[in-house]
Amino acid sequence: VLRKAETRRPLRVEPTLERARGQLRVLDRTVFSRLVELARPPAIVYLTAGHGERTDRTGPQGAGGAFTRLRSNLQDNNYTVRDLDIAEGLGERVPEDAALVISVAPRTPFLPNEADSIRRYLAGGGRLLAFLEPETPPRSSSLGITLAALLKEYGVVYDPTPLANDRIYARRTFTKADRGLLVTIGYQAHPSVSSLRAAPGQSPLLLLGSGALSVGTVPPTLQVSETIRAMNGTWADRNGNFEFDAPAEHRIEPALGLAVSPRPTPGQPRGAKPAGPTMLVFADADLAGDLLMQNRSNVTVVDNAMNWLVQRETPLGPPASEEDVRIQHATSDDWLWFYLPVLGVPALLLGFGMLRVGRGRRRARRGDA
């Protein structure tokens, strides 16, 4: 098996240290990806394109930056990544070899025939991973349907008002704007976040400018459940000032992730999967962007979401980072902080000792007198 994998994609390391130094920095991750190839069959993932998606390499990247880490994570997990737009056949149907379709914050609506293709794909048991985004409101059009409107047909309601929290948030700019950088450990009882739920205090998830999700009118054949909730003290910041303005604004704990799955039917054989769509929807696209995918929990949430959707077992995951970190030495401006503990503390102890000795000698002289 190893020889077969090596023939398909050989792993070579240069014989000299100088030439192999760059390879050795990421050797653990490379070996992990090769092991995944052996343990998992390959699968094809399609990213919707042509609607201003954040994953569109020629489209707008937004405030959160690019999405190269998402693509590389997919490839590391033995997924072949392909774009899916009107030119690639989305107007007719979703390809039959699609194990998963991912749509990341499209700015323009899907055309009617594109939306119909997605509906047919989901009705036939398709799987969708959707990321919504409040920072780039979808442009209205009478000729198409937005991703949020399409998801509403399956019981997922999205409020694009950005959320904020002045009690629990991450520091980035050290201004009030940081209150939009949400931190949450509100993992619910769902298989896609079970590993993070086991140790929530060690696995905080980061979201940048997230909207809010809620359960709407769910078709009778489907069930919708929460996967992630915001922390206590969160509110919808409608005026964008990052200040909690009561009574106009209210503190809430909205859902940040929702799962849609077929509802089991009575008399269904045990272990059989009901027919219908399977979806995971997140209220923030930046959750999977390069900026926040540096956080280990964000990587885990995305990986576990894909594994749950395509029914793969969740692995331990690749190493977070094995690259050498440069040691930062003190600069000339920090000489005071360097010499203070080296010379200042001993000098202080020496002075204190001399003071004690001097007092002892004066007392001895008084006693002799």
Side-chain angles (χ1 to χ4, degrees):
V1 177
L2 289 173
R3 289 181 179 177
K4 182 179 179 181
E6 185 178 358
T7 303
R8 182 172 56 194
R9 199 153 68 104
L11 174 60
R12 298 188 180 92
V13 179
E14 296 293 338
T16 61
L17 179 60
E18 289 299 325
R19 296 173 61 184
R21 195 180 301 276
Q23 295 173 302
L24 294 176
R25 290 176 179 173
V26 293
L27 182 62
D28 289 349
R29 189 177 188 90
T30 305
V31 171
F32 175 84
S33 65
R34 297 298 195 274
L35 293 175
V36 168
E37 290 180 3
L38 299 177
R40 291 177 165 182
I44 300 177
V45 170
Y46 286 91
L47 300 176
T48 63
H51 313 89
E53 285 88 346
R54 296 280 297 275
T55 48
D56 190 346
R57 285 165 291 187
T58 61
Q61 298 297 336
F67 277 69
T68 57
R69 288 176 180 262
L70 177 61
R71 288 180 178 269
S72 63
N73 254 39
L74 288 167
Q75 294 166 354
D76 287 343
N77 283 280
N78 209 19
Y79 293 106
T80 300
V81 183
R82 297 177 181 173
D83 291 334
L84 180 62
D85 56 15
I86 191 71
E88 299 297 329
L90 181 58
E92 299 178 2
R93 62 182 176 87
V94 175
E96 296 180 357
D97 58 359
L100 175 66
V101 173
I102 302 177
S103 186
V104 184
R107 297 192 65 187
T108 57
F110 293 102
L111 296 175
N113 54 342
E114 293 178 320
D116 289 339
S117 296
I118 296 175
R119 290 190 185 100
R120 290 193 299 269
Y121 166 74
L122 293 174
R127 302 172 179 91
L128 174 67
L129 178 58
F131 296 89
L132 299 170
E133 180 60 60
E135 292 182 336
T136 53
R139 301 169 186 170
S140 60
S141 172
S142 58
L143 301 178
I145 182 171
T146 64
L147 178 60
L150 182 62
L151 294 173
K152 192 173 182 179
E153 299 176 7
Y154 301 91
V156 177
V157 178
Y158 183 62
D159 182 357
T161 306
L163 301 177
N165 193 312
D166 56 1
R167 300 174 182 173
I168 305 173
Y169 59 94
R171 291 286 189 181
R172 184 188 176 199
T173 63
F174 294 91
T175 64
K176 289 183 180 180
D178 287 339
R179 296 175 178 177
L181 184 52
L182 301 184
V183 179
T184 183
I185 55 173
Y187 305 115
Q188 305 302 299
H190 191 268
S192 66
V193 291
S194 57
S195 61
L196 294 169
R197 182 180 169 85
Q202 302 176 13
S203 308
L205 181 70
L206 300 180
L207 301 97
L208 178 60
S210 175
L213 294 170
S214 59
V215 180
T217 303
V218 183
T221 58
L222 300 179
Q223 56 186 0
V224 180
S225 54
E226 296 181 355
T227 62
I228 304 171
R229 290 185 68 89
M231 299 299 289
N232 182 32
T234 304
W235 77 90
D237 192 23
R238 302 193 180 281
N239 56 12
N241 65 350
F242 300 103
E243 290 282 0
F244 178 62
D245 301 316
E249 296 173 341
H250 307 277
R251 295 191 185 274
I252 53 178
E253 295 181 26
L256 303 175
L258 289 179
V260 180
S261 58
R263 185 181 298 276
T265 56
Q268 179 180 331
R270 189 167 186 172
K273 185 188 176 203
T278 304
M279 294 183 281
L280 270 176
V281 183
F282 293 102
D284 178 34
D286 286 307
L287 180 153
D290 286 358
L291 177 64
L292 299 189
M293 282 283 274
Q294 300 178 58
N295 180 40
R296 184 61 183 167
S297 297
N298 288 57
V299 177
T300 303
V301 163
V302 174
D303 286 349
N304 289 0
M306 293 185 296
N307 294 330
W308 179 76
L309 286 168
V310 301
Q311 297 183 330
R312 280 182 169 182
E313 293 185 0
T314 302
L316 293 177
S321 176
E322 59 281 329
E323 297 189 25
D324 296 333
V325 179
R326 183 183 298 275
I327 298 176
Q328 298 293 335
H329 297 280
T331 62
S332 58
D333 294 335
D334 298 329
W335 64 270
L336 178 61
W337 300 107
F338 176 78
Y339 286 108
L340 184 60
V342 174
L343 300 179
V345 174
L348 182 62
L349 294 176
L350 179 60
F352 180 73
M354 294 178 64
L355 181 61
R356 291 292 300 272
V357 171
R359 286 183 178 179
R361 289 177 178 177
R362 285 195 294 270
R363 290 177 182 174
R365 291 174 184 173
R366 292 174 185 173
D368 294 340

